[in-house]
């Protein structure tokens, strides 16, 4: 039992570290350059892509086979696509910075739930896999922390409140980790299902969120290079850590 509590606490701590670092950067810099944000997002996209292609999908295939992995992979994409569309519709109605910050935080909290599931499942499969995926997700959470901070800074909210709001957006990671641990304890089948769903969710985030946003923020070859570097480092981490 202590092992599973440890996994949940560790997953939440790692996620909080990334989100709070991003929020701190936003508070300190106030207006981080679009080029910096684009590079960070591109790098995170490369890291996440490496995890999906070289680790999550192969593990899921080993546990539940190719057909079920493919089906659940696309189901994960459909689920996160529905969440994104619901959040985007609300953002279109936002008329001020506070509303934008609130909707952004809701979207990030919804993202952090499956991230927690990914970390919880990863730790159950292998300690090194869990640590590697958690580190990558923490890096991915840095621009998310900045995303929450930016509209609040523009509306002149106090720094203490900004950091508190950023902290709250990362809390669903603990719930997700608990779900991942509980599901993984049932059987290899349930663990394989979680990994396959997570691979679809992460693939969507990479190609439909991080890379497009990276290119929107800053057009140039630097973003593509950051994706390649992230992919390469992710591959090295998976094989050496």
């Amino acid at each position: 039992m202590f092992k599973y509590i440890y996994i949940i606490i560790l997953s939440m701590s790692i996620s909080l570290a990334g989100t709070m670092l991003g929020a701190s950067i936003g508070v300190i810099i106030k207006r981080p350059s679009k080029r910096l944000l684009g590079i960070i997002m591109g790098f995170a996209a490369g890291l996440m892509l490496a995890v999906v292609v070289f680790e999550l999908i192969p593990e899921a295939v080993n546990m539940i086979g190719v057909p079920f992995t493919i089906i659940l992979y696309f189901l994960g994409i459909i689920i996160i696509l529905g969440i994104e569309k619901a959040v985007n519709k609300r953002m279109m109605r936002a008329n001020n910075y506070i509303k934008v910050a609130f909707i952004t935080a809701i979207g990030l909290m919804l993202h952090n739930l499956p991230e927690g599931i990914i970390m919880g499942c990863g730790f159950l499969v292998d300690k090194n896999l869990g640590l590697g995926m958690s580190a990558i997700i923490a890096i991915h959470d840095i621009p998310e922390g900045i995303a929450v901070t930016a509209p609040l800074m523009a509306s002149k909210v106090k720094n203490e409140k900004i950091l508190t709001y950023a902290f709250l957006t990362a809390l669903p990671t603990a719930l997700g980790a608990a779900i991942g641990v509980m599901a993984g304890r049932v059987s290899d089948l349930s663990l394989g299902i979680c990994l396959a769903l997570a691979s679809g969710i992460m693939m969507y985030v990479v190609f439909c969120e991080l890379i497009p946003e990276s290119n929107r923020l800053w057009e140039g070859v630097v973003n593509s290079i950051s994706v390649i570097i992230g992919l390469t480092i992710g591959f090295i981490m998976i094989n050496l850590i």
Side-chain angles (χ1 to χ4, degrees):
M1 185 65 184
F2 177 77
K3 171 186 175 182
Y4 303 112
I5 295 175
Y6 170 77
I7 290 174
I8 295 171
I9 294 175
L10 181 60
S11 300
M12 183 181 70
S13 299
I14 293 174
S15 177
L16 281 173
T19 302
M20 296 308 293
L21 177 58
S24 298
I25 291 174
V27 169
I28 295 172
I29 300 178
K30 294 187 178 181
R31 291 185 179 181
S33 69
K34 290 184 177 180
R35 183 175 185 179
L36 175 60
L37 283 174
I39 291 173
I40 292 174
M41 289 187 177
F43 182 72
L47 287 172
M48 293 180 72
L49 182 60
V51 170
V52 173
V53 174
F54 300 120
E55 197 65 52
L56 290 187
I57 292 178
E59 288 286 352
V61 169
N62 288 335
M63 292 179 177
I64 61 176
V66 174
F68 283 114
T69 297
I70 293 174
I71 292 172
L72 291 167
Y73 167 86
F74 281 108
L75 179 58
I77 293 175
I78 292 172
I79 290 172
I80 196 65
L81 177 62
I83 292 173
E84 286 287 336
K85 286 199 170 185
V87 172
N88 287 338
K89 284 182 180 180
R90 291 191 177 187
M91 286 188 71
M92 290 176 65
R93 302 192 195 105
N95 296 318
N96 57 59
Y97 291 121
I98 296 296
K99 287 184 178 180
V100 170
F102 175 76
I103 298 302
T104 301
I106 293 296
L108 296 182
M109 291 174 76
L110 291 172
H111 280 153
N112 286 336
L113 181 63
E115 285 181 358
I117 295 175
I118 292 168
M119 285 190 263
C121 291
F123 276 110
L124 287 177
V125 173
D126 182 77
K127 178 182 178 182
N128 290 336
L129 171 60
L131 288 173
M133 291 188 346
S134 297
I136 290 168
I137 289 174
I139 293 174
H140 165 242
D141 286 343
I142 293 175
E144 290 188 353
I146 296 175
V148 174
T149 301
L152 293 174
M153 290 297 301
S155 61
K156 298 181 180 179
V157 175
K158 292 182 179 180
N159 291 345
E160 294 80 6
K161 288 187 176 181
I162 291 176
L163 294 175
T164 299
Y165 295 148
F167 175 84
L168 292 175
T169 62
L171 287 182
T173 306
L175 176 59
I179 293 173
V181 169
M182 293 302 107
R185 289 179 62 189
V186 175
S187 66
D188 287 343
L189 174 62
S190 60
L191 181 55
I193 290 173
C194 287
L195 291 174
L197 286 172
S199 66
I201 291 170
M202 290 181 70
M203 191 68 84
Y204 178 89
V205 171
V206 168
F207 286 103
C208 299
E209 182 178 331
L210 289 179
I211 291 179
E213 184 65 15
S214 174
N215 292 328
R216 187 188 69 80
L217 288 168
W218 186 264
E219 295 182 359
V221 70
V222 175
N223 289 351
S224 298
I225 292 175
S226 68
V227 174
I228 294 172
I229 292 174
L231 178 62
T232 303
I233 292 177
F235 175 77
I236 293 172
M237 289 174 61
I238 289 169
N239 287 277
L240 295 182
I241 293 179

